[in-house]
Amino acid sequence: MSSKDKILELLEANKSTFLSGEAMASSLGISRNAIWKAINDLRKNGYEIEAVSNKGYRLAGQNDILSAAGISSYLKKDVADIYKGNDSLIHIYDSIPSTNRKAKELAITDLKYGTLVIANEQSEGRGRADHSFYSPKGGLYMSVVMTPEHLPSTDSDEITTFIGNAVCDAIASLTDVKPTLKPINDLFVGDKKICGILTEAGTEFETGRLQWIVIGIGINFNSDINAFPDEIKNKATSLFSDGNITITRNQLVADILNRILK
């Protein structure tokens, strides 16, 4: 992990507290000048960082930039240990055709439990039965590579239900929204869809042995539903709207991981 990422992780983990440059330098074993340079680099990357004389630095509350450091700061220890020292497990994109497609490629070429692919938007998002899944910016699109020995079942419907319930519980624990799972792969608030789940798997041809499972989760996080295509805008809703956001996407990703990577 780079010095910049380590500083970001510190700031993410201490959002309500100002951290002095001296304290961060001592904690990370780097110079005050390196701290200053990293803070400037983070600001160039879009992070709003408050700076107060004799207090230090603090992330502004409105930051919602997906990052490995931001996600890691909210992970429980047993899950954080999966990613500790292995930055290559987390892949973040501004735009990608499909997080599931990328996760499957990674599962085939370098199978690692917990591999995570996240994007701000998908240009070719897919749902069940190869239906398209509208995935504009404002949403949260993530795919996780899992392996059979870490799952409560290898039945596809049971896996999807397990993941759906975990996402419902994560959203309910962090917000005032209480989604319901219908029937096993879509989350609804009232009669409107807020999330879709797609489970895909790879097997060994000769033995039929299940090798990996990719879980795709698409959530309307802060989506402009009015901009959705006419055929789906009246059937969809968003977790947040009008800028009334109370959590970050990093928090939600971490809470979901805490529930499914056991």
Side-chain angles (χ1 to χ4, degrees):
M1 186 181 289
S2 67
S3 295
K4 184 175 72 172
D5 288 335
K6 291 178 181 178
I7 291 167
L8 177 58
E9 190 169 29
L10 277 177
L11 293 172
E12 288 277 10
N14 297 274
K15 279 190 171 180
S16 60
T17 307
F18 280 96
L19 297 176
S20 70
E22 182 179 357
M24 287 193 285
S26 176
S27 174
L28 299 176
I30 59 179
S31 67
R32 290 282 299 275
N33 187 61
I35 298 292
W36 178 82
K37 182 177 184 301
I39 292 292
N40 282 341
D41 286 343
L42 287 170
R43 284 172 169 161
K44 290 175 183 177
N45 291 156
Y47 288 92
E48 294 188 36
I49 300 174
E50 302 174 42
V52 176
S53 297
N54 300 319
K55 285 189 175 183
Y57 304 98
R58 182 176 70 179
L59 272 180
Q62 60 268 36
N63 285 289
D64 187 24
I65 299 174
L66 291 168
S67 70
I71 293 166
S72 297
S73 68
Y74 295 103
L75 293 176
K76 293 181 179 179
K77 185 181 183 306
D78 58 339
V79 179
D81 285 345
I82 297 171
Y83 298 99
K84 191 173 182 179
N86 200 344
D87 295 344
S88 64
L89 284 182
I90 300 179
H91 306 258
I92 299 176
Y93 300 88
D94 182 45
S95 181
I96 194 173
S98 164
T99 59
N100 255 37
R101 187 186 305 171
K102 182 63 177 179
K104 287 188 292 183
E105 291 173 3
L106 293 168
I108 292 169
T109 58
D110 186 20
L111 177 58
K112 290 180 180 177
Y113 174 69
T115 295
L116 176 66
V117 180
I118 315 177
N120 288 312
E121 68 174 343
Q122 298 180 113
S123 58
E124 299 174 19
R126 311 301 296 177
R128 270 193 166 189
D130 207 33
H131 292 152
S132 64
F133 187 86
Y134 187 59
S135 314
K137 288 194 174 182
L140 171 60
Y141 314 104
M142 60 183 285
S143 296
V144 187
V145 177
M146 306 182 75
T147 49
E149 64 271 18
H150 291 97
L151 286 164
S153 168
T154 56
D155 178 84
S156 60
D157 286 352
E158 290 182 8
I159 293 172
T160 304
T161 300
F162 163 67
I163 298 298
N165 285 327
V167 178
C168 282
D169 291 343
I171 291 174
S173 72
L174 295 173
T175 73
D176 293 330
V177 179
K178 312 294 182 187
T180 55
L181 189 61
K182 303 178 185 179
I184 62 169
N185 69 306
D186 289 330
L187 273 62
F188 284 78
V189 175
D191 61 351
K192 295 189 175 182
K193 183 175 174 178
I194 197 172
C195 169
I197 296 168
L198 176 63
T199 304
E200 299 184 276
T203 59
E204 190 175 67
F205 180 74
E206 291 184 351
T207 64
R209 183 175 65 89
L210 183 63
Q211 294 181 306
W212 50 263
I213 302 94
V214 166
I215 307 294
I217 302 167
I219 302 171
N220 297 333
F221 186 85
N222 183 35
S223 307
D224 181 3
I225 301 299
N226 290 326
F228 277 37
D230 290 339
E231 63 270 21
I232 61 173
K233 69 166 56 175
N234 294 324
K235 302 175 183 178
T237 189
S238 179
L239 185 57
F240 299 108
S241 60
D242 302 324
N244 186 30
I245 303 172
T246 59
I247 63 170
T248 66
R249 289 174 298 166
N250 288 326
Q251 282 178 274
L252 184 52
V253 170
D255 202 288
I256 292 171
L257 294 177
N258 286 335
R259 295 172 190 276
I260 67 175
L261 298 183
K262 298 182 179 179

